[in-house]
Amino acid sequence: MSARCYELKQKLDSLHREFTQEIAKAATEQQLRKVFADYGGSAGSIRLAQKDALRSAPNAEKKSIGQLTNEVVQAVEAEFERRLAGLAEEERKRDLERTADVTLPGRKRVLGHLHPITLVRREITAIFAQLGFVVAEGPQIETDFHNFEALAIPKDHPARDMQDTFYVEGHEDLVLRTHTSPVQIRTMLSGAPPVRVIAPGPVYRKDDDPTHSPMFNQIEGLCVDQGITFADLKGTLLHFVQRFFGADFQVRLRPSFFPFTEPSAEIDMSCAFCRGQGCRTCKGTGWMEIGGSGMVDPEVFRHVGYDSEKYTGFAFGMGIDRMAMLRYRINDIKLMFDGDVRFVRQFR
Ligand code: DAH
């Protein structure tokens, strides 16, 4: 080995030792890569030492100078790779220690439940489904025609009053439906009799006190065929109330008025609290009102193109929320819309 080569080898060995010390100190991948670039990189000190030696060397020695340098570069590269893997492993161990404290108690997942209104709506629809009623739906933003006009609710009817109805701003003929009755119209417009539908869903009115919410839920019923009578209406409602509340409950139809039925009746059932004995809630009458009903007015049939000489029908609309309150003894309708899980959890 020439003196030049010997000198170079000394120099490279010393750089190599330095490198080994430096990478041991590098605590991050970034620091490690910097050390590697400083020594083994294309502008690192090992390459510079090689260049220095080459500059004055005769051609015959250039090969061995190249070889000497390459050996060290390869060794340095190998050490770099090993240290890199070592750092990654250390990092992984730190992560594990940090995130997996196996002594911590597990996190409980809160299970959701069905809302009492959903439970009651499903139960009511199931009862009517067994009588052959199918579920029908309509939009919550309704046209004046479906919500009022076709139901024979004239322009000056109090139900249309700005006080009760939410109108859609800038759209005079659009309202948030004030009842589920427009689904009657949609159903009849979409097909010929016989019809037997039940239509549950939210409705909106400008009402806000302990027993009224501006959004509440109704369930509408409509049955149209040849020979449908008022007795069918009462039989259907009685069947429903006795299935839903109990066999000892009675139904009373009290004369009333709705523009879209003739005759019309208020639906009363035995008071859910005293079962007809008379208590504070029913003001001693033994009855409580759960909705409205009647025989479909020929005027409504005319709007949907049904022949009122051939067909008759009954309709009813009841409050779902009210029935949920009676079923579960809830005294404030707001509780059902507050979204408090502590409330909902009670109906598992
Ligand atoms: N739509 C009425 C209301 O919200 C309730 C009603 C009464 C529905 C009589 C009917 C009916 O289908 O026949 O006050």
Side-chain angles (χ1 to χ4, degrees), residues 157-326:
H157 193 278
R160 284 195 177 207
D161 202 314
M162 296 297 272
Q163 309 272 290
D164 299 309
T165 307
F166 288 106
Y167 282 85
V168 177
E169 238 173 54
H171 298 270
E172 250 170 55
D173 67 329
L174 290 182
V175 300
L176 297 190
R177 67 178 181 192
T178 58
H179 49 180
T180 41
S181 303
V183 184
Q184 288 188 36
I185 303 302
R186 291 187 175 274
T187 305
M188 290 190 281
L189 283 174
S190 71
V195 163
R196 225 180 280 180
V197 292
I198 197 91
V203 301
Y204 304 85
R205 276 180 216 176
K206 288 191 181 170
D207 247 347
D208 210 356
D209 64 47
T211 52
H212 295 92
S213 151
M215 189 279 301
F216 58 105
N217 294 275
Q218 286 190 334
I219 188 155
E220 191 81 12
L222 174 68
C223 170
V224 182
D225 204 342
Q226 291 182 347
I228 297 294
T229 69
F230 202 82
D232 296 315
L233 169 64
K234 175 145 191 196
T236 304
L237 292 172
L238 182 63
H239 172 83
F240 160 69
V241 164
Q242 294 190 338
R243 283 282 307 278
F244 187 76
F245 289 100
D248 52 340
F249 280 78
Q250 291 303 317
V251 165
R252 177 175 81 172
L253 293 177
R254 187 161 36 85
S256 183
F257 174 80
F258 297 103
F260 39 92
T261 42
E262 184 57 41
S264 304
E266 224 75 60
I267 310 165
D268 290 345
M269 70 168 211
S270 322
C271 172
F273 295 93
C274 63
R275 310 224 162 181
Q277 298 309 298
C279 66
R280 249 192 2 217
T281 314
C282 61
K283 300 198 183 77
T285 65
W287 297 100
M288 51 203 335
E289 190 187 311
I290 54 170
S293 65
M295 299 304 289
V296 180
D297 195 303
E299 175 70 3
V300 174
F301 281 154
R302 192 179 63 76
H303 275 289
V304 298
Y306 278 15
D307 181 354
S308 60
E309 293 297 318
K310 191 167 169 199
Y311 295 104
T312 50
F314 67 75
F316 58 85
M318 299 185 287
I320 296 187
D321 318 276
R322 187 146 164 73
M323 270 182 278
M325 290 171 76
L326 292 175

Side-chain angles (χ1 to χ4, degrees), residues 73-84:
V73 168
Q74 272 163 22
V76 160
E77 263 171 16
E79 277 174 47
F80 165 70
E81 294 294 342
R82 235 177 296 134
R83 179 80 184 114
L84 195 61

